[in-house]
Amino acid sequence: VLGGHHNAEGSYTQERPFLAKVKAARRVTPEGYGKQIVHMELSIDGSNIEYKPGDAFGVLPVNDPNLVDDLLQRLGADGSRVFEASEAVNSIRAPCSVRAALSRHCDLTTPAKKSLIRLLAESCDDVKEKDDLLLICSAEGKPRYKKEILEAQPNLLDLLRAYPSCRPKVEDLVEFLPALAPREYSVSSCPPA
C-alpha cells in the first residue's frame, strides 16, 4: 500500500517510513537451491527517493496475522487491549495495542532464547512442564536445547501448544521476545532515466 510518511527530501526512517507498493516479486534461484534470491520491484512514485546501485532499502516485516490470532487465542489475550511499557521495548511506542505489538514489533518465529524459555517455565502451572522447560534452558539441557529449539525451530505458538499449562502475560512476553527487525536489501538497478 502506498502511503505513510511523505518527505520532500526523500528521506525516510524506520520510525517514519515511506510505504511502497510491491509491483513485482519473483524468485530467481531454482527451487531447492539453498539460498533464495528474489527479484523485487517497488513503486516509489511520489516519494522523492533518489537511489543508485549499491544503496539499500529496508522492508519492515509483519508477522502472519493467522499466527498472531492463534497466539492471542492461546494466551486468552484481547488484541485490542492497549498497554504501556515502563520503558521502550522492541521499538514499541507506548501506548500500543497487544495485537500491534505482536504483529509489528515482536519476532514470533525466531528460535527461543534460553531467557524466553525460562520465562515460559516460570509461567507453567504444571510442575512437570515447568521442570522440563527449566531443563531445556539449563547447562545440562544443552543437547535438548540444540535439538528441540535450535534445530527444530518451533515458533512461540508451537512451544505454548507443547506446554499447555504455560500462561505467560503478554507484557512479559513482549519484553523477552526479540524485536522484529527490518530486513535490508541491496539495490541492483539504476532508476529509470
Side-chain angles (χ1 to χ4, degrees):
V1 175
L2 285 176
H5 170 68
H6 287 268
N7 182 288
E9 289 82 39
S11 178
Y12 300 93
T13 65
Q14 181 177 344
E15 292 77 30
R16 298 189 53 88
F18 176 79
L19 304 178
K21 181 178 181 182
V22 176
K23 292 180 0 182
R26 69 180 183 282
R27 183 182 178 129
V28 294
T29 50
E31 287 296 325
Y33 186 75
K35 187 174 181 181
Q36 181 175 325
I37 299 174
V38 176
H39 168 86
M40 187 180 302
E41 295 175 25
L42 302 174
S43 172
I44 57 171
D45 295 340
S47 69
N48 296 323
I49 294 174
E50 293 182 16
Y51 66 93
K52 60 188 179 304
D55 286 347
F57 66 90
V59 173
L60 300 174
V62 293
N63 286 308
D64 180 336
N66 294 324
L67 175 61
V68 173
D69 288 343
D70 291 348
L71 185 57
L72 288 169
Q73 183 178 19
R74 168 58 180 82
L75 293 170
D78 176 3
S80 64
R81 184 173 63 83
V82 173
F83 70 95
E84 295 214 26
S86 57
E87 56 187 62
V89 177
N90 287 345
S91 303
I92 298 173
R93 279 183 261 160
C96 181
S97 75
V98 170
R99 180 178 304 282
L102 295 177
S103 296
R104 295 191 307 265
H105 299 286
C106 298
D107 188 337
L108 305 178
T109 59
T110 296
K113 292 188 178 189
K114 290 183 178 186
S115 57
L116 175 59
I117 294 173
R118 189 167 288 107
L119 168 73
L120 297 178
E122 296 302 328
S123 304
C124 286
D125 292 331
D126 182 282
V127 175
K128 194 173 179 182
E129 290 181 9
K130 178 179 181 173
D131 289 345
D132 194 47
L133 284 168
L134 286 173
L135 176 63
I136 290 172
C137 63
S138 71
E140 304 84 56
K142 188 175 181 178
R144 279 191 63 195
Y145 178 78
K146 182 181 179 204
K147 181 180 179 185
E148 295 174 28
I149 304 299
L150 298 180
E151 292 174 8
Q153 296 191 4
N155 64 34
L156 176 61
L157 183 60
D158 295 332
L159 288 171
L160 291 172
R161 286 179 173 159
Y163 296 91
S165 79
C166 185
R167 297 269 179 209
K169 290 191 273 184
V170 174
E171 293 85 351
D172 292 338
L173 279 176
V174 168
E175 288 192 37
F176 283 87
L177 288 167
L180 193 57
R183 281 29 171 208
E184 291 201 348
Y185 297 91
S186 296
V187 173
S188 61
S189 64
C190 293

PDB file of all heavy atoms in Angstrom, residues 150-182:
ATOM      1  N   LEU A 150      16.955 -25.064  18.595  1.00  0.00           N
ATOM      2  CA  LEU A 150      17.755 -24.518  17.500  1.00  0.00           C
ATOM      3  C   LEU A 150      17.564 -25.277  16.183  1.00  0.00           C
ATOM      4  O   LEU A 150      17.476 -24.671  15.126  1.00  0.00           O
ATOM      5  CB  LEU A 150      19.234 -24.487  17.883  1.00  0.00           C
ATOM      6  CG  LEU A 150      19.585 -23.596  19.076  1.00  0.00           C
ATOM      7  CD1 LEU A 150      21.084 -23.657  19.360  1.00  0.00           C
ATOM      8  CD2 LEU A 150      19.132 -22.159  18.846  1.00  0.00           C
ATOM      9  N   GLU A 151      17.506 -26.606  16.249  1.00  0.00           N
ATOM     10  CA  GLU A 151      17.346 -27.382  15.023  1.00  0.00           C
ATOM     11  C   GLU A 151      15.891 -27.508  14.588  1.00  0.00           C
ATOM     12  O   GLU A 151      15.586 -27.346  13.415  1.00  0.00           O
ATOM     13  CB  GLU A 151      17.990 -28.766  15.186  1.00  0.00           C
ATOM     14  CG  GLU A 151      19.508 -28.697  15.286  1.00  0.00           C
ATOM     15  CD  GLU A 151      20.152 -30.045  15.600  1.00  0.00           C
ATOM     16  OE1 GLU A 151      19.448 -31.084  15.588  1.00  0.00           O
ATOM     17  OE2 GLU A 151      21.377 -30.053  15.879  1.00  0.00           O
ATOM     18  N   ALA A 152      14.991 -27.805  15.508  1.00  0.00           N
ATOM     19  CA  ALA A 152      13.572 -27.984  15.165  1.00  0.00           C
ATOM     20  C   ALA A 152      12.886 -26.650  14.879  1.00  0.00           C
ATOM     21  O   ALA A 152      11.910 -26.594  14.147  1.00  0.00           O
ATOM     22  CB  ALA A 152      12.855 -28.727  16.284  1.00  0.00           C
ATOM     23  N   GLN A 153      13.387 -25.577  15.464  1.00  0.00           N
ATOM     24  CA  GLN A 153      12.890 -24.212  15.273  1.00  0.00           C
ATOM     25  C   GLN A 153      11.380 -24.049  15.492  1.00  0.00           C
ATOM     26  O   GLN A 153      10.672 -23.514  14.639  1.00  0.00           O
ATOM     27  CB  GLN A 153      13.279 -23.688  13.898  1.00  0.00           C
ATOM     28  CG  GLN A 153      14.760 -23.564  13.724  1.00  0.00           C
ATOM     29  CD  GLN A 153      15.151 -22.803  12.469  1.00  0.00           C
ATOM     30  OE1 GLN A 153      14.326 -22.298  11.734  1.00  0.00           O
ATOM     31  NE2 GLN A 153      16.430 -22.721  12.240  1.00  0.00           N
ATOM     32  N   PRO A 154      10.871 -24.473  16.657  1.00  0.00           N
ATOM     33  CA  PRO A 154       9.462 -24.214  16.926  1.00  0.00           C
ATOM     34  C   PRO A 154       9.251 -22.716  17.144  1.00  0.00           C
ATOM     35  O   PRO A 154      10.123 -22.029  17.689  1.00  0.00           O
ATOM     36  CB  PRO A 154       9.200 -24.993  18.218  1.00  0.00           C
ATOM     37  CG  PRO A 154      10.532 -24.994  18.916  1.00  0.00           C
ATOM     38  CD  PRO A 154      11.544 -25.093  17.789  1.00  0.00           C
ATOM     39  N   ASN A 155       8.110 -22.199  16.693  1.00  0.00           N
ATOM     40  CA  ASN A 155       7.828 -20.794  16.982  1.00  0.00           C
ATOM     41  C   ASN A 155       7.202 -20.703  18.373  1.00  0.00           C
ATOM     42  O   ASN A 155       6.988 -21.728  19.045  1.00  0.00           O
ATOM     43  CB  ASN A 155       6.957 -20.156  15.887  1.00  0.00           C
ATOM     44  CG  ASN A 155       5.576 -20.766  15.780  1.00  0.00           C
ATOM     45  OD1 ASN A 155       4.965 -21.180  16.765  1.00  0.00           O
ATOM     46  ND2 ASN A 155       5.058 -20.830  14.558  1.00  0.00           N
ATOM     47  N   LEU A 156       6.900 -19.503  18.809  1.00  0.00           N
ATOM     48  CA  LEU A 156       6.352 -19.306  20.148  1.00  0.00           C
ATOM     49  C   LEU A 156       5.054 -20.081  20.336  1.00  0.00           C
ATOM     50  O   LEU A 156       4.845 -20.727  21.366  1.00  0.00           O
ATOM     51  CB  LEU A 156       6.126 -17.810  20.408  1.00  0.00           C
ATOM     52  CG  LEU A 156       5.465 -17.458  21.741  1.00  0.00           C
ATOM     53  CD1 LEU A 156       6.312 -17.933  22.921  1.00  0.00           C
ATOM     54  CD2 LEU A 156       5.223 -15.956  21.823  1.00  0.00           C
ATOM     55  N   LEU A 157       4.175 -20.044  19.348  1.00  0.00           N
ATOM     56  CA  LEU A 157       2.902 -20.751  19.455  1.00  0.00           C
ATOM     57  C   LEU A 157       3.123 -22.256  19.580  1.00  0.00           C
ATOM     58  O   LEU A 157       2.454 -22.922  20.378  1.00  0.00           O
ATOM     59  CB  LEU A 157       2.009 -20.425  18.256  1.00  0.00           C
ATOM     60  CG  LEU A 157       0.618 -21.044  18.271  1.00  0.00           C
ATOM     61  CD1 LEU A 157      -0.178 -20.580  19.493  1.00  0.00           C
ATOM     62  CD2 LEU A 157      -0.136 -20.691  16.996  1.00  0.00           C
ATOM     63  N   ASP A 158       4.069 -22.800  18.824  1.00  0.00           N
ATOM     64  CA  ASP A 158       4.389 -24.227  18.927  1.00  0.00           C
ATOM     65  C   ASP A 158       4.787 -24.579  20.364  1.00  0.00           C
ATOM     66  O   ASP A 158       4.352 -25.603  20.904  1.00  0.00           O
ATOM     67  CB  ASP A 158       5.537 -24.604  17.992  1.00  0.00           C
ATOM     68  CG  ASP A 158       5.196 -24.459  16.519  1.00  0.00           C
ATOM     69  OD1 ASP A 158       4.014 -24.577  16.147  1.00  0.00           O
ATOM     70  OD2 ASP A 158       6.140 -24.206  15.729  1.00  0.00           O
ATOM     71  N   LEU A 159       5.632 -23.745  20.973  1.00  0.00           N
ATOM     72  CA  LEU A 159       6.064 -24.002  22.349  1.00  0.00           C
ATOM     73  C   LEU A 159       4.892 -23.932  23.325  1.00  0.00           C
ATOM     74  O   LEU A 159       4.767 -24.782  24.216  1.00  0.00           O
ATOM     75  CB  LEU A 159       7.147 -23.004  22.760  1.00  0.00           C
ATOM     76  CG  LEU A 159       8.513 -23.218  22.118  1.00  0.00           C
ATOM     77  CD1 LEU A 159       9.440 -22.045  22.427  1.00  0.00           C
ATOM     78  CD2 LEU A 159       9.130 -24.528  22.599  1.00  0.00           C
ATOM     79  N   LEU A 160       4.040 -22.932  23.145  1.00  0.00           N
ATOM     80  CA  LEU A 160       2.890 -22.796  24.043  1.00  0.00           C
ATOM     81  C   LEU A 160       1.929 -23.977  23.896  1.00  0.00           C
ATOM     82  O   LEU A 160       1.325 -24.409  24.876  1.00  0.00           O
ATOM     83  CB  LEU A 160       2.169 -21.475  23.789  1.00  0.00           C
ATOM     84  CG  LEU A 160       2.939 -20.225  24.214  1.00  0.00           C
ATOM     85  CD1 LEU A 160       2.219 -18.969  23.743  1.00  0.00           C
ATOM     86  CD2 LEU A 160       3.131 -20.194  25.727  1.00  0.00           C
ATOM     87  N   ARG A 161       1.798 -24.481  22.700  1.00  0.00           N
ATOM     88  CA  ARG A 161       0.931 -25.656  22.492  1.00  0.00           C
ATOM     89  C   ARG A 161       1.558 -26.916  23.087  1.00  0.00           C
ATOM     90  O   ARG A 161       0.851 -27.802  23.560  1.00  0.00           O
ATOM     91  CB  ARG A 161       0.651 -25.847  21.001  1.00  0.00           C
ATOM     92  CG  ARG A 161      -0.332 -24.823  20.472  1.00  0.00           C
ATOM     93  CD  ARG A 161      -0.584 -25.001  18.994  1.00  0.00           C
ATOM     94  NE  ARG A 161      -1.659 -24.120  18.539  1.00  0.00           N
ATOM     95  CZ  ARG A 161      -1.833 -23.759  17.285  1.00  0.00           C
ATOM     96  NH1 ARG A 161      -1.025 -24.223  16.329  1.00  0.00           N
ATOM     97  NH2 ARG A 161      -2.826 -22.966  16.950  1.00  0.00           N
ATOM     98  N   ALA A 162       2.878 -27.012  23.053  1.00  0.00           N
ATOM     99  CA  ALA A 162       3.566 -28.177  23.614  1.00  0.00           C
ATOM    100  C   ALA A 162       3.522 -28.190  25.141  1.00  0.00           C
ATOM    101  O   ALA A 162       3.648 -29.251  25.753  1.00  0.00           O
ATOM    102  CB  ALA A 162       5.017 -28.209  23.136  1.00  0.00           C
ATOM    103  N   TYR A 163       3.321 -27.011  25.730  1.00  0.00           N
ATOM    104  CA  TYR A 163       3.272 -26.879  27.191  1.00  0.00           C
ATOM    105  C   TYR A 163       1.964 -26.168  27.561  1.00  0.00           C
ATOM    106  O   TYR A 163       1.945 -24.961  27.808  1.00  0.00           O
ATOM    107  CB  TYR A 163       4.503 -26.117  27.698  1.00  0.00           C
ATOM    108  CG  TYR A 163       5.778 -26.870  27.421  1.00  0.00           C
ATOM    109  CD1 TYR A 163       6.488 -26.670  26.237  1.00  0.00           C
ATOM    110  CD2 TYR A 163       6.247 -27.823  28.320  1.00  0.00           C
ATOM    111  CE1 TYR A 163       7.643 -27.391  25.963  1.00  0.00           C
ATOM    112  CE2 TYR A 163       7.399 -28.546  28.055  1.00  0.00           C
ATOM    113  CZ  TYR A 163       8.093 -28.327  26.871  1.00  0.00           C
ATOM    114  OH  TYR A 163       9.226 -29.050  26.616  1.00  0.00           O
ATOM    115  N   PRO A 164       0.857 -26.925  27.591  1.00  0.00           N
ATOM    116  CA  PRO A 164      -0.470 -26.330  27.752  1.00  0.00           C
ATOM    117  C   PRO A 164      -0.681 -25.533  29.044  1.00  0.00           C
ATOM    118  O   PRO A 164      -1.525 -24.639  29.077  1.00  0.00           O
ATOM    119  CB  PRO A 164      -1.421 -27.531  27.716  1.00  0.00           C
ATOM    120  CG  PRO A 164      -0.641 -28.663  27.170  1.00  0.00           C
ATOM    121  CD  PRO A 164       0.801 -28.361  27.399  1.00  0.00           C
ATOM    122  N   SER A 165       0.059 -25.834  30.101  1.00  0.00           N
ATOM    123  CA  SER A 165      -0.149 -25.094  31.350  1.00  0.00           C
ATOM    124  C   SER A 165       0.594 -23.764  31.368  1.00  0.00           C
ATOM    125  O   SER A 165       0.461 -22.979  32.309  1.00  0.00           O
ATOM    126  CB  SER A 165       0.270 -25.938  32.558  1.00  0.00           C
ATOM    127  OG  SER A 165       1.675 -25.934  32.725  1.00  0.00           O
ATOM    128  N   CYS A 166       1.354 -23.487  30.333  1.00  0.00           N
ATOM    129  CA  CYS A 166       2.137 -22.251  30.250  1.00  0.00           C
ATOM    130  C   CYS A 166       1.214 -21.095  29.877  1.00  0.00           C
ATOM    131  O   CYS A 166       0.582 -21.104  28.823  1.00  0.00           O
ATOM    132  CB  CYS A 166       3.239 -22.434  29.209  1.00  0.00           C
ATOM    133  SG  CYS A 166       4.354 -21.043  29.115  1.00  0.00           S
ATOM    134  N   ARG A 167       1.129 -20.096  30.746  1.00  0.00           N
ATOM    135  CA  ARG A 167       0.249 -18.942  30.529  1.00  0.00           C
ATOM    136  C   ARG A 167       0.977 -17.642  30.871  1.00  0.00           C
ATOM    137  O   ARG A 167       0.653 -16.963  31.850  1.00  0.00           O
ATOM    138  CB  ARG A 167      -1.002 -19.047  31.408  1.00  0.00           C
ATOM    139  CG  ARG A 167      -1.877 -20.227  31.103  1.00  0.00           C
ATOM    140  CD  ARG A 167      -2.905 -19.863  30.096  1.00  0.00           C
ATOM    141  NE  ARG A 167      -3.719 -21.034  29.802  1.00  0.00           N
ATOM    142  CZ  ARG A 167      -4.292 -21.216  28.636  1.00  0.00           C
ATOM    143  NH1 ARG A 167      -4.160 -20.320  27.693  1.00  0.00           N
ATOM    144  NH2 ARG A 167      -4.999 -22.279  28.407  1.00  0.00           N
ATOM    145  N   PRO A 168       1.976 -17.262  30.061  1.00  0.00           N
ATOM    146  CA  PRO A 168       2.684 -16.003  30.356  1.00  0.00           C
ATOM    147  C   PRO A 168       1.815 -14.789  30.062  1.00  0.00           C
ATOM    148  O   PRO A 168       0.907 -14.845  29.231  1.00  0.00           O
ATOM    149  CB  PRO A 168       3.874 -16.055  29.390  1.00  0.00           C
ATOM    150  CG  PRO A 168       3.392 -16.880  28.253  1.00  0.00           C
ATOM    151  CD  PRO A 168       2.463 -17.906  28.842  1.00  0.00           C
ATOM    152  N   LYS A 169       2.092 -13.698  30.759  1.00  0.00           N
ATOM    153  CA  LYS A 169       1.403 -12.437  30.474  1.00  0.00           C
ATOM    154  C   LYS A 169       2.011 -11.835  29.208  1.00  0.00           C
ATOM    155  O   LYS A 169       3.222 -11.938  28.984  1.00  0.00           O
ATOM    156  CB  LYS A 169       1.563 -11.455  31.641  1.00  0.00           C
ATOM    157  CG  LYS A 169       0.797 -11.877  32.884  1.00  0.00           C
ATOM    158  CD  LYS A 169       0.760 -10.773  33.903  1.00  0.00           C
ATOM    159  CE  LYS A 169       2.000 -10.870  34.768  1.00  0.00           C
ATOM    160  NZ  LYS A 169       2.053  -9.925  35.851  1.00  0.00           N
ATOM    161  N   VAL A 170       1.165 -11.231  28.396  1.00  0.00           N
ATOM    162  CA  VAL A 170       1.625 -10.647  27.132  1.00  0.00           C
ATOM    163  C   VAL A 170       2.713  -9.611  27.393  1.00  0.00           C
ATOM    164  O   VAL A 170       3.720  -9.572  26.677  1.00  0.00           O
ATOM    165  CB  VAL A 170       0.457 -10.039  26.340  1.00  0.00           C
ATOM    166  CG1 VAL A 170       0.956  -9.303  25.108  1.00  0.00           C
ATOM    167  CG2 VAL A 170      -0.534 -11.113  25.941  1.00  0.00           C
ATOM    168  N   GLU A 171       2.544  -8.772  28.395  1.00  0.00           N
ATOM    169  CA  GLU A 171       3.548  -7.744  28.688  1.00  0.00           C
ATOM    170  C   GLU A 171       4.908  -8.360  28.984  1.00  0.00           C
ATOM    171  O   GLU A 171       5.939  -7.808  28.615  1.00  0.00           O
ATOM    172  CB  GLU A 171       3.113  -6.869  29.871  1.00  0.00           C
ATOM    173  CG  GLU A 171       1.913  -6.009  29.599  1.00  0.00           C
ATOM    174  CD  GLU A 171       0.571  -6.702  29.821  1.00  0.00           C
ATOM    175  OE1 GLU A 171       0.540  -7.931  30.036  1.00  0.00           O
ATOM    176  OE2 GLU A 171      -0.461  -6.016  29.758  1.00  0.00           O
ATOM    177  N   ASP A 172       4.912  -9.525  29.653  1.00  0.00           N
ATOM    178  CA  ASP A 172       6.173 -10.207  29.929  1.00  0.00           C
ATOM    179  C   ASP A 172       6.771 -10.760  28.643  1.00  0.00           C
ATOM    180  O   ASP A 172       7.981 -10.651  28.406  1.00  0.00           O
ATOM    181  CB  ASP A 172       5.968 -11.338  30.940  1.00  0.00           C
ATOM    182  CG  ASP A 172       5.603 -10.826  32.326  1.00  0.00           C
ATOM    183  OD1 ASP A 172       5.912  -9.650  32.631  1.00  0.00           O
ATOM    184  OD2 ASP A 172       5.021 -11.599  33.098  1.00  0.00           O
ATOM    185  N   LEU A 173       5.929 -11.351  27.789  1.00  0.00           N
ATOM    186  CA  LEU A 173       6.412 -11.886  26.516  1.00  0.00           C
ATOM    187  C   LEU A 173       7.071 -10.801  25.679  1.00  0.00           C
ATOM    188  O   LEU A 173       8.130 -11.016  25.097  1.00  0.00           O
ATOM    189  CB  LEU A 173       5.267 -12.506  25.721  1.00  0.00           C
ATOM    190  CG  LEU A 173       4.852 -13.915  26.098  1.00  0.00           C
ATOM    191  CD1 LEU A 173       3.637 -14.337  25.289  1.00  0.00           C
ATOM    192  CD2 LEU A 173       5.987 -14.892  25.916  1.00  0.00           C
ATOM    193  N   VAL A 174       6.423  -9.643  25.606  1.00  0.00           N
ATOM    194  CA  VAL A 174       6.937  -8.539  24.795  1.00  0.00           C
ATOM    195  C   VAL A 174       8.355  -8.165  25.221  1.00  0.00           C
ATOM    196  O   VAL A 174       9.194  -7.846  24.388  1.00  0.00           O
ATOM    197  CB  VAL A 174       5.982  -7.325  24.865  1.00  0.00           C
ATOM    198  CG1 VAL A 174       6.613  -6.081  24.295  1.00  0.00           C
ATOM    199  CG2 VAL A 174       4.680  -7.641  24.139  1.00  0.00           C
ATOM    200  N   GLU A 175       8.635  -8.256  26.499  1.00  0.00           N
ATOM    201  CA  GLU A 175       9.973  -7.911  26.987  1.00  0.00           C
ATOM    202  C   GLU A 175      11.018  -8.964  26.641  1.00  0.00           C
ATOM    203  O   GLU A 175      12.195  -8.651  26.513  1.00  0.00           O
ATOM    204  CB  GLU A 175       9.943  -7.693  28.499  1.00  0.00           C
ATOM    205  CG  GLU A 175       9.233  -6.410  28.872  1.00  0.00           C
ATOM    206  CD  GLU A 175       9.439  -6.021  30.324  1.00  0.00           C
ATOM    207  OE1 GLU A 175      10.556  -6.234  30.847  1.00  0.00           O
ATOM    208  OE2 GLU A 175       8.486  -5.505  30.910  1.00  0.00           O
ATOM    209  N   PHE A 176      10.597 -10.231  26.490  1.00  0.00           N
ATOM    210  CA  PHE A 176      11.556 -11.313  26.256  1.00  0.00           C
ATOM    211  C   PHE A 176      11.660 -11.736  24.798  1.00  0.00           C
ATOM    212  O   PHE A 176      12.610 -12.418  24.434  1.00  0.00           O
ATOM    213  CB  PHE A 176      11.212 -12.523  27.132  1.00  0.00           C
ATOM    214  CG  PHE A 176      11.634 -12.349  28.563  1.00  0.00           C
ATOM    215  CD1 PHE A 176      10.797 -11.732  29.477  1.00  0.00           C
ATOM    216  CD2 PHE A 176      12.882 -12.779  28.988  1.00  0.00           C
ATOM    217  CE1 PHE A 176      11.188 -11.553  30.795  1.00  0.00           C
ATOM    218  CE2 PHE A 176      13.281 -12.604  30.306  1.00  0.00           C
ATOM    219  CZ  PHE A 176      12.426 -11.982  31.209  1.00  0.00           C
ATOM    220  N   LEU A 177      10.690 -11.360  23.967  1.00  0.00           N
ATOM    221  CA  LEU A 177      10.757 -11.706  22.549  1.00  0.00           C
ATOM    222  C   LEU A 177      11.719 -10.754  21.842  1.00  0.00           C
ATOM    223  O   LEU A 177      11.758  -9.565  22.156  1.00  0.00           O
ATOM    224  CB  LEU A 177       9.368 -11.597  21.913  1.00  0.00           C
ATOM    225  CG  LEU A 177       8.371 -12.676  22.300  1.00  0.00           C
ATOM    226  CD1 LEU A 177       6.966 -12.279  21.868  1.00  0.00           C
ATOM    227  CD2 LEU A 177       8.766 -14.007  21.698  1.00  0.00           C
ATOM    228  N   PRO A 178      12.477 -11.260  20.877  1.00  0.00           N
ATOM    229  CA  PRO A 178      13.357 -10.360  20.130  1.00  0.00           C
ATOM    230  C   PRO A 178      12.540  -9.397  19.268  1.00  0.00           C
ATOM    231  O   PRO A 178      11.396  -9.690  18.905  1.00  0.00           O
ATOM    232  CB  PRO A 178      14.200 -11.294  19.275  1.00  0.00           C
ATOM    233  CG  PRO A 178      13.442 -12.569  19.207  1.00  0.00           C
ATOM    234  CD  PRO A 178      12.590 -12.645  20.433  1.00  0.00           C
ATOM    235  N   ALA A 179      13.123  -8.267  18.956  1.00  0.00           N
ATOM    236  CA  ALA A 179      12.462  -7.283  18.098  1.00  0.00           C
ATOM    237  C   ALA A 179      12.361  -7.825  16.677  1.00  0.00           C
ATOM    238  O   ALA A 179      13.248  -8.536  16.210  1.00  0.00           O
ATOM    239  CB  ALA A 179      13.234  -5.971  18.099  1.00  0.00           C
ATOM    240  N   LEU A 180      11.274  -7.489  16.020  1.00  0.00           N
ATOM    241  CA  LEU A 180      11.091  -7.829  14.610  1.00  0.00           C
ATOM    242  C   LEU A 180      11.867  -6.789  13.818  1.00  0.00           C
ATOM    243  O   LEU A 180      11.445  -5.648  13.677  1.00  0.00           O
ATOM    244  CB  LEU A 180       9.601  -7.807  14.263  1.00  0.00           C
ATOM    245  CG  LEU A 180       9.165  -8.412  12.951  1.00  0.00           C
ATOM    246  CD1 LEU A 180       9.605  -9.863  12.828  1.00  0.00           C
ATOM    247  CD2 LEU A 180       7.656  -8.339  12.816  1.00  0.00           C
ATOM    248  N   ALA A 181      13.043  -7.171  13.353  1.00  0.00           N
ATOM    249  CA  ALA A 181      13.975  -6.216  12.742  1.00  0.00           C
ATOM    250  C   ALA A 181      13.701  -6.032  11.255  1.00  0.00           C
ATOM    251  O   ALA A 181      13.292  -6.969  10.573  1.00  0.00           O
ATOM    252  CB  ALA A 181      15.399  -6.709  12.948  1.00  0.00           C
ATOM    253  N   PRO A 182      13.946  -4.813  10.755  1.00  0.00           N
ATOM    254  CA  PRO A 182      13.823  -4.602   9.311  1.00  0.00           C
ATOM    255  C   PRO A 182      14.851  -5.435   8.558  1.00  0.00           C
ATOM    256  O   PRO A 182      15.934  -5.702   9.067  1.00  0.00           O
ATOM    257  CB  PRO A 182      14.088  -3.111   9.122  1.00  0.00           C
ATOM    258  CG  PRO A 182      14.602  -2.601  10.406  1.00  0.00           C
ATOM    259  CD  PRO A 182      14.379  -3.626  11.458  1.00  0.00           C
TER     260      PRO A 182
END
